[in-house]
Amino acid sequence: MKNRVRELREKHAWSQAELGERLDVSRQTINAIETGKYDPSLPLAFKIARLFGSRIETIFLDGESR
Amino acid sequence: MARFNPRRFNAYVMLLMAVYIALLWWVWPHVRDAHDIGWKIALALSPTVPVTWVIALMARRIMLADELEQRLHLIALGVATALVGTASLIAGFLAMGKVWRGDGSEVFWVFPALCAIYGFTRMGLKRRITGIWDWWGC
């Protein structure tokens, strides 16, 4: 699943470690989410959306939807 | 959330596994010579103390981990359990068929084997997903 986490993080000038701290996850988890190697759980995805003040579907893009 | 420091965790586990192996080599053989039943039981069960301690540390570490780390731990534990379980099944059938004559002491290596396979699997998974060789995190 594609996402805009890296883009939003860079917009806020946060490092992966800083974002991880704000979301209470490790830096490696942020890296895995940004590179699309790991899809976060729904609670974590909502937490990310809340942190960036965006709707979840504008951050996480379902590759299968048309 | 206060996570486990991987280096400290690994140091504890290494120390406890060293105690486990030391107990197996130097303490456990005296079980047969002990006459007092209480002492015999204490000697026989002594290796289970460090192992139980390691299990408690692992459980605590997994509980304090984030969701990706928890997934890696659980996949690694699943792989380790499946491999060691299959090996035990094969050994059990070979022993029942008198093809392989063990004295039962081989069972002592089940837990260290489980830990080793779990550690290497987790390390490989972490490398695949995060791109990091996490020697200390295994």
Side-chain angles (χ1 to χ4, degrees):
Chain A
M1 186 185 284
K2 287 184 177 174
N3 66 72
R4 296 175 49 232
V5 174
R6 184 185 295 264
E7 176 197 325
L8 292 166
R9 175 178 63 77
E10 286 174 350
K11 210 162 143 183
H12 286 75
W14 291 336
S15 66
Q16 287 184 337
E18 277 175 313
L19 179 58
E21 225 166 86
R22 285 167 197 270
L23 294 169
D24 199 20
V25 296
S26 64
R27 190 190 65 75
Q28 288 95 336
T29 299
I30 297 298
N31 183 53
I33 292 171
E34 285 185 358
T35 52
K37 287 181 178 163
Y38 173 65
D39 293 331
S41 68
L42 207 46
L44 181 56
F46 272 115
K47 215 170 166 182
I48 293 169
R50 254 197 316 274
L51 183 68
F52 289 125
S54 306
R55 294 174 67 83
I56 201 165
E57 64 270 25
T58 63
I59 299 178
F60 295 96
L61 315 166
D62 180 8
E64 287 177 15
S65 64
R66 292 168 199 171
Chain B
M1 191 195 301
R3 295 209 170 79
F4 253 76
N5 177 324
R7 282 175 192 239
R8 187 178 292 179
F9 172 81
N10 277 11
Y12 272 131
V13 171
M14 295 286 224
L15 179 70
L16 288 165
M17 293 316 289
V19 171
Y20 172 73
I21 291 167
L23 286 169
L24 286 185
W25 285 101
W26 289 298
V27 176
W28 211 88
H30 297 294
V31 171
R32 286 171 190 150
D33 307 328
H35 299 294
D36 178 59
I37 187 70
W39 186 233
K40 215 177 182 66
I41 291 171
L43 287 178
L45 297 182
S46 60
T48 62
V49 175
V51 170
T52 311
W53 201 333
V54 168
I55 292 170
L57 280 176
M58 285 169 81
R60 194 168 141 69
R61 184 187 183 191
I62 293 172
M63 281 193 298
L64 293 174
D66 71 18
E67 59 179 55
L68 174 60
E69 288 167 344
Q70 280 187 348
R71 183 182 288 195
L72 298 182
H73 281 300
L74 294 179
I75 293 173
L77 279 173
V79 168
T81 308
L83 290 178
V84 174
T86 306
S88 304
L89 193 69
I90 291 168
F93 278 120
L94 290 176
M96 278 200 307
K98 310 280 185 210
V99 178
W100 174 49
R101 294 175 195 276
D103 63 355
S105 63
E106 301 83 2
V107 180
F108 288 142
W109 295 100
V110 166
F111 190 73
L114 203 63
C115 287
I117 297 171
Y118 154 76
F120 284 116
T121 307
R122 190 179 169 276
M123 200 166 63
L125 283 170
K126 193 157 187 178
R127 169 80 179 96
R128 207 171 130 192
I129 293 176
T130 67
I132 296 168
W133 276 117
D134 189 3
W135 297 99
W136 290 105
C138 70

